[in-house]
Amino acid sequence: MGLLDEYHFQQTSDLETRKRWWDAYQRYRSLVNENQLRVRLEPGVMAIADNWRVSHGRDGFQEGKDTHRYLRTFYLNWNHMQGRLLETHIDETLELDEIM
């Protein structure tokens, strides 16, 4: 599955297909907007998102004298993570160093 090539799509599809695609896209966007969860993280709190399971984003951020955003990307072997979580038999929030 590849990205939608807008030029190719426009050149090779009829107007009705493009209209149906646009209607479906607008419906999808409205569902995303209606069902989003907004979370404000406190300093020192980390959020982890599985890119295969959730669509996620961030609001704009204005850095100031006392405010900094520390944003990093990392990749995790999910099989390893699942095994460690099952090993702990804990269903509460864990510190990352408790899991790894």
Side-chain angles (χ1 to χ4, degrees):
M1 179 164 70
L3 296 174
L4 176 64
D5 181 333
E6 294 175 33
Y7 178 79
H8 180 75
F9 181 66
Q10 185 177 5
Q11 298 300 313
T12 60
S13 60
D14 60 80
L15 183 60
E16 182 59 30
T17 299
R18 291 193 307 269
K19 182 182 179 325
R20 286 193 344 258
W21 183 91
W22 185 249
D23 290 344
Y25 174 75
Q26 288 179 315
R27 176 70 177 134
Y28 168 77
R29 291 296 305 166
S30 71
L31 289 171
V32 166
N33 290 333
E34 290 169 14
N35 295 292
Q36 62 181 278
L37 172 66
R38 291 184 169 273
V39 177
R40 182 176 177 89
L41 299 177
E42 297 298 322
V45 174
M46 177 174 62
I48 299 175
D50 182 345
N51 288 335
W52 290 98
R53 297 186 179 268
V54 296
S55 177
H56 57 87
R58 296 169 289 288
D59 286 334
F61 182 79
Q62 194 72 6
E63 286 208 34
K65 181 181 175 193
D66 298 320
T67 58
H68 304 283
R69 175 179 274 176
Y70 185 75
L71 183 62
R72 294 294 180 261
T73 301
F74 68 95
Y75 297 91
L76 180 70
N77 181 328
W78 185 238
N79 292 331
H80 174 74
M81 183 73 161
Q82 284 177 313
R84 295 292 296 184
L85 287 172
L86 291 173
E87 257 178 39
T88 62
H89 302 289
I90 297 175
D91 58 356
E92 60 188 85
T93 303
L94 300 172
E95 296 292 328
L96 187 59
D97 60 350
E98 290 179 65
I99 297 170
M100 303 311 269

